Amino acid sequence: MTPTLIWILVALVAIGLYLSWTAGRLDRLHARIDATRAGLDAQLLRRASVAQELATSGVLDPAASIVLYEAAHAARQAEEEQREVAESDLSQALRAVFAEPAQVDAVREAPGGEAAAHELTEAVRRVPMARRFHNDAVGAARRLRQHRKVRWFRLAGHAPFPMAFEMDDEPPAALVDRAA
């Protein structure tokens, strides 16, 4: 074997190892996206469930109960294409219902209300964190998938292009202020 052939083989093996490492990294990022999406779905479901439970508890006035229940129900039943809009509507309903600190105080004073308010506060605090983790993972995968080597060698396989979850997740100020 000539030295040139050996160097060509070494270069091909090095390129193959690098591409294999990149494909593995991309696969791990896609697995991370799946895990963070499952965590986000769990937090969104928890928030909707707590809101629905609070709406049916009789602690809120009837108009606030109806608004909150319908938004929470719509968020739980939304199809994947409409999920971001439904979750944003739930965030807006939570802000509307808990716009006044007096409403939060009324919930806390009811029997079992302190626990319900605490659970809702925790749920609305965790949603933005879960969404941020998911969108960070999506951003990392997108940046890697945009490299030429990934596109040219089709290292992503048939995996769909990752999509961020964009929604209004601002918590009600009165609810978060009381918890702090």
Side-chain angles (χ1 to χ4, degrees):
M1 284 181 115
T2 64
T4 306
L5 188 57
I6 291 173
W7 282 112
I8 290 173
L9 285 174
V10 168
L12 287 176
V13 167
I15 291 170
L17 287 174
Y18 178 71
L19 291 175
S20 175
W21 176 80
T22 303
R25 181 172 168 226
L26 191 57
D27 185 52
R28 288 189 300 276
L29 282 172
H30 282 127
R32 185 172 144 211
I33 289 171
D34 291 342
T36 57
R37 180 58 192 243
L40 175 61
D41 287 341
Q43 293 305 322
L44 291 171
L45 180 63
R46 180 173 182 241
R47 182 181 75 153
S49 297
V50 171
Q52 212 169 15
E53 184 179 317
L54 190 59
T56 58
S57 68
V59 174
L60 302 172
D61 63 87
S65 292
I66 290 171
V67 167
L68 193 58
Y69 180 82
E70 286 180 355
H73 181 71
R76 290 183 72 179
Q77 300 298 320
E79 296 292 327
E80 192 61 36
E81 300 83 29
Q82 299 299 318
R83 184 92 187 268
E84 294 171 352
V85 173
E87 294 295 345
S88 294
D89 290 346
L90 177 56
S91 295
Q92 292 169 1
L94 284 166
R95 282 196 307 274
V97 169
F98 294 106
E100 300 295 323
Q103 185 74 351
V104 177
D105 292 337
V107 169
R108 289 182 189 276
E109 291 169 2
E114 187 67 37
H118 177 71
E119 192 173 353
L120 183 61
T121 301
E122 290 301 311
V124 298
R125 281 185 175 177
R126 289 181 179 161
V127 167
M129 287 187 290
R131 189 175 73 86
R132 195 172 312 120
F133 290 148
H134 173 69
N135 288 348
D136 287 347
V138 166
R142 281 180 164 187
R143 284 188 297 277
L144 184 58
R145 286 182 70 154
Q146 289 174 347
H147 289 176
R148 272 185 246 143
K149 65 181 176 271
V150 174
R151 289 191 320 254
W152 288 351
F153 292 102
R154 300 179 188 216
L155 299 180
H158 297 289
F161 195 73
M163 300 301 290
F165 194 87
E166 297 300 333
M167 64 171 271
D168 173 12
D169 61 2
E170 184 181 338
L175 189 64
V176 174
D177 290 343
R178 290 282 197 230

